[in-house]
Amino acid sequence: MRWRVATLVEKRTETPTATTLVFDVDGWPGHKPGQHIDVRLTAEDGYSAQRSYSMATPQNGSRVVLTIQTVDDGEVSPYLTGVIEVGEQVELRGPIGGWFVWDSADPAPVLLVAGGSGIVPVMSMLRARVDGDRRTPFRLVYSVRTPDEVMYASELRRLPGGVDVAVHYTREAPDGYRGRVGRLNTRDLVEGGWPPDFAPSCFVCGPTGFVEAVANILVSEGHLPPRIKTERFGPAG
């Protein structure tokens, strides 16, 4: 893989702490839903920093779409979410990853479990289903702290039939919410997911502790480990 110049063509606010960036990348080789890329920033004095980010959409020509959560003391995310303007350029390298990828030819039902910004790569899978007009049954269990932190909120409400979405709140819930406020537990995943005898493809993405807890619950409920694919993130370094 080589570094490619990416030009920012669109920038929009996703939540108070997350921003969606659309880049045009000349010569982009294409990517699959669930893959990620590296972004590199280089200062005038030659110092460079790079971070990995999941792509939020399936392949669409030369476009690469990222949704980035701002890390207040980070080196890269504050620049990408708060400084860079349309028309400016960064370097991208990818696509990266072949494990945490949904194969649209697989007829098995799909369970997506996302914690916080872990929604980004699984949103790419949801969009691939919609764009490809697939009828594969999807279920999404999405855990966030507060209503303000729900990414893609309006789009999630408009998803077509065959996609069930359950949003769970860990700290604060909106008016009218009838669920339990707190961390995901076994009941949440059983009610929002698929039974193990359906042999679903399970994709779990979020902070390390969240991913480990969810994966352990799924295994304890009878899901086969090879059917559970995980992607985790944490502080850089």
Side-chain angles (χ1 to χ4, degrees):
M1 291 183 295
R2 64 181 179 86
W3 291 99
R4 300 174 188 271
V5 176
T7 303
L8 184 65
V9 296
E10 184 181 349
K11 182 178 182 179
R12 60 180 181 268
T13 299
E14 201 65 57
T15 72
T17 60
T19 302
T20 290
L21 306 171
V22 182
F23 292 96
D24 189 77
V25 188
D26 186 38
W28 183 246
H31 60 274
K32 298 176 181 179
Q35 289 186 301
H36 61 279
I37 51 92
D38 290 334
V39 177
R40 181 168 68 181
L41 305 178
T42 303
E44 292 183 359
D45 63 3
Y47 175 78
S48 67
Q50 65 185 63
R51 297 291 183 271
S52 295
Y53 295 105
S54 295
M55 290 176 281
T57 63
Q59 169 63 14
N60 183 15
S62 62
R63 294 290 169 90
V64 169
V65 181
L66 310 176
T67 298
I68 298 175
Q69 187 89 36
T70 304
V71 178
D72 291 336
D73 59 350
E75 283 189 299
V76 176
S77 67
Y79 177 83
L80 293 175
T81 60
V83 178
I84 191 173
E85 299 290 345
V86 170
E88 297 182 343
Q89 297 177 325
V90 298
E91 292 178 288
L92 303 183
R93 181 175 62 183
I96 301 169
W99 168 248
F100 196 79
V101 169
W102 177 57
D103 180 1
S104 61
D106 185 351
V110 175
L111 171 61
L112 308 173
V113 186
S117 60
I119 188 66
V120 177
V122 302
M123 195 66 194
S124 178
M125 299 176 192
L126 284 165
R127 287 167 167 166
R129 181 194 185 275
V130 173
D131 293 351
D133 197 25
R134 299 291 180 178
R135 297 185 180 274
T136 310
F138 266 59
R139 290 184 176 177
L140 168 65
V141 180
Y142 182 18
S143 175
V144 294
R145 291 182 295 183
T146 69
D148 287 344
E149 297 180 47
V150 178
M151 296 184 184
Y152 320 116
S154 61
E155 186 175 353
L156 290 175
R157 289 192 293 266
R158 299 193 310 269
L159 288 171
V163 179
D164 297 325
V165 177
V167 179
H168 291 268
Y169 302 91
T170 63
R171 295 187 183 180
E172 177 187 335
D175 293 339
Y177 179 69
R178 297 182 179 180
R180 177 188 57 85
V181 176
R183 294 183 178 181
L184 283 182
N185 60 21
T186 300
R187 180 176 178 179
D188 298 326
L189 292 171
V190 169
E191 292 180 350
W194 300 102
D197 55 351
F198 281 32
S201 297
C202 303
F203 296 89
V204 185
C205 185
T208 296
F210 172 88
V211 169
E212 292 178 350
V214 170
N216 286 338
I217 292 173
L218 293 176
V219 170
S220 69
E221 288 301 305
H223 292 272
L224 297 177
R227 305 287 297 176
I228 304 170
K229 300 183 179 183
T230 63
E231 185 81 31
R232 63 194 70 199
F233 56 81

